[in-house]
Amino acid sequence: MFIKSLLITSGAKVIREIEFHNGLNLIVDESEYQITGNSVGKTTVLKLVDFCLGADKKNIYVDPETKRDEYKLVKDFLIENKVLITLTLSSDLDNDEANEIVIERNFLSSVKEGIRRINGQQILAENFEMELGKTLFPDHLEDKPSFRQIISHNIRYKDENINNTLKTLDKYTSDAEYETLYLFLFGCEFTKGNSKQEILIKLKQEDIYKNRLEKNQTKTAYETALSLINDDIEELNKKKRSFNLNENFEKDLDKLNQVKYEVNKLSSSIGKLNIRKNLIKETEAELQSSKSDIDLRQLEIIYEQATTKVKTIQKSFSDLLFFHNKMIEEKVKYITKELPALEKSLEENNDLLKRLLEEEKKVASAISKSDSFEELEKVIVVLTEKHRKKGEFENIIQQLNDVNSNIKEFNKQLSEIDNELFSDSFEQVVKMQLNKFNKHFASISSELYGEQYAIKPDIITNKKGQRLYKFSSFNANMSSGKKQGEISCFDMAYTLFAEDENIPCLHFLLNDKKELMDDKQLVKISDFVNRNNIQFVASILKDKLPEEINKEEYFVVKLSQNDKLFRIKE
């Protein structure tokens, strides 16, 4: 797919219409005093394309450095004027009959006024990325890699993908996610990448839980301590039996000790269940924190304003709130599915603990009415404490046994996947596909830079002993090279490789800050993309353009301090 046009409208008013073409497309800033960061909107053009492809709307009006400060003028303009962004993609820009995809989005959050349309069909916010993936990559049926991950190398305006050839995602992305992404991009058919990532998440959770249980001592230390406690209890019981007491008193003492043991063991079990419950809650909170929060109060105010003006609105605010809460529940459903069983177990254990405590009180009361000796009372105090410790240690050991069993099972599942992933036959597939890609990569970099770049696949073992394919770029000439050039060569090479291999891909490359690239290389890139049916869209300062491409035929939009992108009247 190529970008055919980007339309910015407010109602019937056209604010800006940008028509794109094959080859080099330049978004230029022709202000009289030109510096990077003029804020005329040249980078925003790239962001708007990304926005239509599922990016967060905040990218348009939030300061990328602070990630908090908002450009209020721009935000208010987009919302108050109900600005609509329409992106039209085409499978062939030279064919009027070619298949087209029209994507529309605005910046409003309400269910009624928020627009997220694909080919005229309104899509729910939580389904928008998934529907984009189905539309642009219909044969990709797995959750991972996600649609946004697949297209991350096509859209480069953020620091992470301007400065990195392969690591185009955020800094929290795991090596396992990159492995799944590049196996897919390079056409190495492997359908268990999503399962592998789920297992790795579960393993991480179990490791955290195990570390918390072993915060004070290891499992073997608890087992050794328990053995010593059992020896002490046996000796104390012998000593206790040596006292000449009536039969009922002896039975009551035994019963009290057993009840105390059960109470302490059960209390420890409840504590460990709470640890697991809290760990799941923490994981749930981490997932929630990675999502955008909706200002419910602001939403309510907007809704009230809407119902005042539009009497036909059928849905109440409580309906809207219910929809919002339901959406959040679905997102965390997977990670919290163990909670009901945990909470039920906690409830049952707490009920049992209550009954045991009542029984303990009853037995203790009966003993207190019996005749006893001072020495026996000392033994009972020590014995009670030993039983308490025994219950605590046994419960911790059981919890650790369960965790170790889970870890063993997850590692077994991971090993079964890895046996396929790292088999000789699959490794040969990876190398074969990389060799095909590297022919393009080396050829393009040689033509543009006189150097040969390539991607190599290494099988690494991380600090947890897990095997992974790790892809990295290197200069076959063993010289330093230029990162900007390497990135452009990679993106162009991938487009040609995907065409050869019939792998669906976007045929447009969006690039920011190309004034940082050497003039000669920029001219060579222009010549290459014009010859090879690649759409190369770049934002650049006009006075930084080399003479060979400083031509109207390459300009798709010209911006300046007097004619900024949104044409907002300040």
Side-chain angles (χ1 to χ4, degrees):
M1 281 290 174
F2 300 86
I3 303 175
K4 183 176 182 179
S5 65
L6 184 71
L7 182 64
I8 307 172
T9 57
S10 174
K13 179 184 177 182
V14 175
I15 298 172
R16 183 84 64 174
E17 184 172 11
I18 306 172
E19 300 285 343
F20 294 83
H21 51 254
N22 285 317
L24 184 65
N25 292 251
L26 295 177
I27 303 159
V28 297
D29 177 358
E30 55 180 4
S31 301
E32 183 177 352
Y33 300 104
Q34 295 190 8
I35 56 172
T36 300
N38 266 341
S39 298
V40 299
K42 63 183 188 299
T43 302
T44 305
V45 175
L46 309 182
K47 292 181 179 180
L48 289 175
V49 174
D50 198 22
F51 171 63
C52 288
L53 294 173
D56 193 331
K57 63 185 177 183
K58 291 182 179 179
N59 288 342
I60 310 301
Y61 52 77
V62 171
D63 187 330
E65 292 186 5
T66 65
K67 301 187 186 302
R68 293 188 304 274
D69 299 334
E70 294 182 346
Y71 303 126
K72 191 174 185 304
L73 178 68
V74 174
K75 181 181 179 182
D76 291 346
F77 174 81
L78 295 173
I79 293 174
E80 291 171 7
N81 292 278
K82 299 181 180 180
V83 172
L84 178 68
I85 311 299
T86 304
L87 175 69
T88 302
L89 304 178
S90 173
S91 60
D92 187 348
L93 294 177
D94 295 324
N95 182 1
D96 292 336
E97 302 298 321
N99 180 42
E100 291 186 354
I101 297 172
V102 179
I103 304 167
E104 301 166 276
R105 282 191 77 180
N106 67 7
F107 297 86
L108 302 177
S109 300
S110 70
V111 174
K112 185 172 181 64
E113 294 189 300
I115 293 175
R116 291 169 303 278
R117 291 195 289 254
I118 301 175
N119 291 333
Q121 182 180 355
Q122 177 74 354
I123 308 296
L124 293 175
E126 64 268 27
N127 296 332
F128 189 62
E129 181 183 335
M130 180 181 67
E131 290 301 324
L132 283 171
K134 288 181 180 179
T135 303
L136 290 166
F137 300 98
D139 295 330
H140 179 51
L141 305 178
E142 302 294 327
D143 292 335
K144 295 291 183 179
S146 68
F147 169 73
R148 294 289 301 166
Q149 289 175 336
I150 292 170
I151 68 170
S152 61
H153 79 96
N154 291 89
I155 305 170
R156 297 181 184 267
Y157 61 85
K158 296 181 180 179
D159 287 343
E160 54 261 34
N161 46 33
I162 284 179
N163 300 317
N164 296 294
T165 302
L166 298 178
K167 294 208 167 185
T168 53
L169 308 176
D170 65 59
K171 61 183 179 180
Y172 302 107
T173 305
S174 68
D175 286 339
E177 287 184 275
Y178 276 118
E179 176 189 61
T180 302
L181 172 60
Y182 283 104
L183 286 176
F184 171 81
L185 288 179
F186 290 129
C188 307
E189 188 174 348
F190 182 68
T191 59
K192 297 179 181 177
N194 192 52
S195 298
K196 180 176 180 179
Q197 289 187 43
E198 288 181 359
I199 293 171
L200 290 173
I201 289 172
K202 291 177 183 177
L203 273 172
K204 181 181 178 181
Q205 190 175 0
E206 293 295 331
D207 282 336
I208 293 172
Y209 184 45
K210 181 179 180 180
N211 289 335
R212 290 187 183 182
L213 290 175
E214 294 189 311
K215 183 178 180 181
N216 296 321
Q217 293 291 348
T218 64
K219 178 172 176 282
T220 53
Y222 282 117
E223 289 173 335
T224 302
L226 179 62
S227 176
L228 294 175
I229 286 174
N230 284 330
D231 290 343
D232 291 342
I233 289 174
E234 185 178 349
E235 290 300 318
L236 287 167
N237 280 328
K238 287 180 181 179
K239 188 174 182 179
K240 181 167 66 71
R241 286 194 294 269
S242 69
F243 288 97
N244 186 21
L245 301 171
N246 67 69
E247 184 179 347
N248 290 336
F249 186 70
E250 182 73 17
K251 289 180 179 179
D252 286 342
L253 279 177
D254 288 340
K255 186 175 183 180
L256 178 62
N257 282 329
Q258 182 62 31
V259 170
K260 285 182 177 291
Y261 166 70
E262 295 294 337
V263 164
N264 286 295
K265 183 175 180 180
L266 190 58
S267 296
S268 181
S269 178
I270 290 171
K272 300 308 176 295
L273 287 171
N274 276 316
I275 288 177
R276 182 172 282 279
K277 176 182 175 181
N278 291 336
L279 178 61
I280 292 173
K281 289 288 188 180
E282 289 172 17
T283 306
E284 176 187 3
E286 288 177 7
L287 287 176
Q288 294 281 21
S289 68
S290 69
K291 303 293 181 182
S292 300
D293 294 328
I294 296 174
D295 187 342
L296 295 181
R297 178 54 189 158
Q298 185 64 28
L299 189 60
E300 183 176 7
I301 293 171
I302 293 172
Y303 189 85
E304 289 172 355
Q305 292 173 351
T307 54
T308 302
K309 297 179 179 180
V310 183
K311 302 300 183 180
T312 57
I313 292 178
Q314 298 298 315
K315 298 295 182 178
S316 67
F317 177 74
S318 62
D319 292 334
L320 188 60
L321 182 59
F322 173 78
F323 170 77
H324 166 75
N325 289 336
K326 185 66 177 176
M327 179 179 68
I328 295 299
E329 289 172 7
E330 288 299 321
K331 289 181 180 179
V332 299
K333 183 178 179 182
Y334 172 77
I335 200 68
T336 59
K337 64 182 179 181
E338 190 182 348
L339 278 178
L342 282 174
E343 289 172 346
K344 182 180 179 182
S345 182
L346 278 169
E347 183 181 355
E348 292 173 350
N349 285 349
N350 279 320
D351 289 343
L352 179 58
L353 179 62
K354 184 178 179 181
R355 293 196 298 271
L356 287 173
L357 288 172
E358 289 175 354
E359 185 175 358
E360 179 186 19
K361 183 178 179 181
K362 181 179 178 181
V363 175
S365 177
I367 290 175
S368 66
K369 295 176 183 178
S370 304
D371 294 330
S372 61
F373 302 100
E374 183 178 349
E375 188 64 27
L376 178 59
E377 290 175 345
K378 292 179 181 178
V379 172
I380 292 172
V381 169
V382 176
L383 192 57
T384 299
E385 176 61 17
K386 293 293 182 181
H387 277 286
R388 186 191 71 78
K389 280 287 186 183
K390 178 181 179 181
E392 178 185 343
F393 289 177
E394 283 183 342
N395 192 262
I396 291 174
I397 291 168
Q398 182 58 50
Q399 293 286 331
L400 285 168
N401 285 336
D402 291 343
V403 169
N404 288 333
S405 176
N406 290 340
I407 291 174
K408 183 178 179 180
E409 176 59 28
F410 292 144
N411 279 322
K412 179 183 176 183
Q413 295 174 18
L414 189 63
S415 178
E416 290 172 355
I417 292 175
D418 284 353
N419 286 339
E420 178 183 341
L421 188 60
F422 300 103
S423 65
D424 290 342
S425 58
F426 191 81
E427 187 178 351
Q428 284 302 117
V429 170
V430 175
K431 289 179 179 178
M432 179 181 68
Q433 292 300 102
L434 261 294
N435 287 339
K436 294 177 183 177
F437 169 79
N438 284 330
K439 286 182 181 180
H440 292 289
F441 198 14
S443 174
I444 295 172
S445 57
S446 180
E447 180 179 338
L448 268 59
Y449 288 96
E451 299 180 334
Q452 291 187 317
Y453 300 139
I455 300 295
K456 61 186 179 75
D458 294 315
I459 297 176
I460 65 165
T461 302
N462 64 16
K463 59 184 179 181
K464 294 184 179 180
Q466 298 157 352
R467 288 181 293 169
L468 294 163
Y469 281 103
K470 188 167 185 177
F471 298 90
S472 57
S473 58
F474 73 101
N475 190 324
N477 296 345
M478 303 302 176
S479 62
S480 60
K482 295 180 176 65
K483 181 56 68 176
Q484 284 281 321
E486 177 184 292
I487 291 170
S488 294
C489 291
F490 172 85
D491 292 340
M492 293 185 293
Y494 183 77
T495 304
L496 299 183
F497 164 78
E499 282 186 346
D500 287 351
E501 295 294 303
N502 292 318
I503 299 172
C505 75
L506 301 180
H507 280 67
F508 57 85
L509 306 172
L510 306 187
N511 293 264
D512 193 21
K513 299 179 181 177
K514 280 305 172 187
E515 56 267 6
L516 302 177
M517 181 175 282
D518 181 83
D519 285 359
K520 292 181 180 179
Q521 272 66 50
L522 200 53
V523 172
K524 288 180 179 180
I525 286 176
S526 171
D527 178 62
F528 187 87
V529 297
N530 289 333
R531 287 187 286 111
N532 287 278
N533 198 33
I534 297 172
Q535 193 176 45
F536 195 89
V537 182
S539 64
I540 194 166
L541 299 172
K542 190 170 184 291
D543 68 355
K544 302 296 183 183
L545 282 171
E547 183 179 350
E548 293 90 335
I549 58 175
N550 194 347
K551 299 176 180 178
E552 289 292 328
E553 63 189 89
Y554 296 125
F555 302 157
V556 292
V557 62
K558 295 186 288 186
L559 305 171
S560 68
Q561 289 296 326
N562 297 322
D563 186 21
K564 295 185 179 182
L565 179 65
F566 292 122
R567 291 171 170 156
I568 302 174
K569 294 180 180 179
E570 300 186 30

